[in-house]
Amino acid sequence: MRTEICDRLGIDVPIFAFTHCRDVAAAVSNAGGMGVLGAVGFSAEQLEIELTWLDEHVKGFYGVDLVIPARYEGAGMDDLSPEQLEAALAERVPAGHREFAEELLNSHNVPHLPPEEQHAQLLGWTAVTAAPQVEVILRHPKAKLVANALGTPPKDVVEKIQESGRLIGALCGSVKHAMNHKNAGLDFVVCQGTEGGGHCGEITSMVLWPQVVEAVGDLPVLAAGGIGSGAQIAAALAMGAAGAWTGSLWLTVEEANVPPAQQQTLLDASSSDTVRSKSWTGKPCRMLKNDWTEAWERSDTPSPLPMPMQMMVALDAVKRGHRYPEAAKDVAFNPVGQVVGMMTKVERTGALMGRLVEEYLAACARLEALNQR
């Protein structure tokens, strides 16, 4: 199961786990894979705390995932500070969108936040606001890998990361995007089919993975989108992938910082309960469909705004959903892939890693037996 990228990153198995929870990231890295912490929800100061904790609890290395979109509202306003950019974009948000979001939450009796928690920063949804996060990452040697979730990272970010000895890559949902990453000199691409949770394209994994592998040549490809078993990892490697990039699976492990009500919603969901929606971030994002996603799709309601302004509308809902998960379960932000239908029990991260490896070996054994017939 060991591939070349394992040697470059100092890991035992090519299993990458995207998560917003530092405990999960540490557990995956300590089990031989690479935990990748999603940074978009953290200020630079908070990210410093998270990475310092990971430095102390990870025996080897870990990764960090940024969100610097290639295209977004406000791109080109690089002369502004993060605070100035946030203020400038806030002026472009129609009052009707905020009012509609507020009415939707009130209709579901989701309590308001305490006054001290009401301000929600834009954080890492633009190049300007993500720049301080990059500087934090560069101060932590165990942060061996950086991935950008939306588009090819800016040239200066790529140069800084590579000059520090780290690997930098980005997610893609098409051959075109993969070639953009390759031409920009990235070290790897994460090829995500439409089954995947979060931001994704329209092409399925089984079709997309081999196309991207062939197109980028010797550039390592990490397969993502719908991976929930070791057999699927074996299939990805058989098609030329250098490893598996997983995400949704880690929402239902014991270490995940997911409220019990939200976790139970995931455990109860089937693979047909997800939808690609712009209602939270402004770009197509796969999540559990609920009253929030359906409300923004109606013809008599506001249309989602471009990124990052839609997230500026939705940030209050995200925070209220985290604080009051029971009340907000029908209007909560639940990004997850179609693999949710395979997520039927809670288990320890280490046990899940072990199961993935065992299932991979069993799949390889089945193929070997067929080859010997």
Side-chain angles (χ1 to χ4, degrees):
M1 194 177 189
R2 191 177 180 91
T3 62
E4 182 182 350
I5 202 166
C6 294
D7 297 329
R8 296 182 66 184
L9 290 170
I11 58 179
D12 296 327
V13 292
I15 298 175
F16 298 76
F18 168 80
T19 174
H20 290 288
C21 178
R22 66 188 188 186
D23 295 88
V24 177
V28 170
S29 288
N30 290 335
M34 175 157 283
V36 182
L37 184 70
V40 72
F42 300 114
S43 66
E45 294 75 17
Q46 292 169 324
L47 185 60
E48 176 67 36
I49 293 171
E50 299 297 303
L51 300 193
T52 297
W53 186 93
L54 284 169
D55 290 341
E56 296 170 353
H57 291 82
V58 170
K59 292 180 290 187
F61 303 103
Y62 58 87
V64 182
D65 179 272
L66 299 171
V67 178
I68 309 176
R71 293 190 301 274
Y72 58 92
E73 193 74 12
M77 302 168 72
D78 297 342
D79 56 329
L80 300 182
S81 69
E83 294 77 17
Q84 291 172 328
L85 177 61
E86 184 175 356
L89 291 175
E91 293 179 356
R92 303 185 187 183
V93 177
H97 282 68
R98 296 191 188 277
E99 292 167 1
F100 177 65
E102 179 65 22
E103 291 170 2
L104 190 53
L105 293 172
N106 290 342
S107 69
H108 285 76
N109 299 312
V110 182
H112 286 84
L113 296 167
E116 65 274 13
E117 298 179 20
Q118 287 182 2
H119 177 66
Q121 291 176 283
L122 186 57
L123 300 178
W125 293 92
T126 69
V128 171
T129 52
Q133 296 176 327
V134 174
E135 297 305 316
V136 171
I137 294 169
L138 294 175
R139 294 198 291 268
H140 294 268
K142 286 190 176 183
K144 190 77 169 177
L145 171 148
V146 177
N148 188 45
L150 281 171
T152 305
K155 182 179 179 181
D156 64 316
V157 173
V158 175
E159 291 175 349
K160 283 183 179 181
I161 297 299
Q162 291 179 332
E163 288 172 0
S164 72
R166 295 166 172 82
L167 300 187
I168 182 168
L171 276 71
C172 68
S174 69
V175 172
K176 177 182 177 181
H177 295 155
M179 292 306 298
N180 289 343
H181 299 340
K182 179 181 175 67
N183 294 335
L186 301 193
D187 299 299
F188 64 93
V189 297
V190 179
C191 174
Q192 177 171 269
T194 192
E195 302 95 326
H199 296 106
C200 59
E202 301 177 348
I203 306 172
T204 65
S205 296
M206 187 64 69
V207 173
L208 182 63
W209 293 346
Q211 289 187 60
V212 169
V213 167
E214 181 178 2
V216 300
D218 58 358
L219 186 67
V221 174
L222 303 180
I227 295 179
S229 72
Q232 289 170 304
I233 296 175
L237 296 190
M239 285 187 278
W245 183 277
T246 58
S248 299
L249 283 180
W250 312 103
L251 294 170
T252 51
V253 293
E254 288 183 18
E255 296 90 339
N257 185 24
V258 177
Q262 182 182 4
Q263 198 168 72
Q264 191 59 51
T265 299
L266 295 168
L267 293 169
D268 293 341
S270 71
S271 294
S272 61
D273 289 329
T274 70
V275 63
R276 290 172 74 241
S277 172
K278 297 181 180 181
S279 61
W280 288 95
T281 72
K283 287 184 182 290
C285 179
R286 187 170 296 284
M287 62 192 74
L288 289 185
K289 57 186 173 184
N290 58 17
D291 291 350
W292 177 281
T293 62
E294 293 184 355
W296 286 91
E297 291 295 323
R298 299 202 311 263
S299 60
D300 61 337
T301 61
S303 298
L305 298 167
M307 178 178 279
M309 294 191 302
Q310 183 65 20
M311 180 51 80
M312 297 179 77
V313 172
L315 272 175
D316 181 59
V318 173
K319 295 188 73 173
R320 287 163 72 175
H322 287 166
R323 203 177 203 286
Y324 309 108
E326 290 282 355
K329 62 182 180 180
D330 292 326
V331 286
F333 184 31
N334 273 320
V336 70
Q338 291 179 336
V339 72
V340 70
M342 300 170 66
M343 295 156 48
T344 58
K345 64 179 180 179
V346 175
E347 54 190 324
R348 296 285 294 178
T349 295
L352 176 52
M353 284 289 290
R355 176 167 65 80
L356 291 175
V357 173
E358 290 174 2
E359 291 170 347
Y360 166 85
L361 294 173
C364 291
R366 288 195 297 272
L367 290 175
E368 183 63 27
L370 289 175
N371 290 336
Q372 294 178 354
R373 292 187 65 176

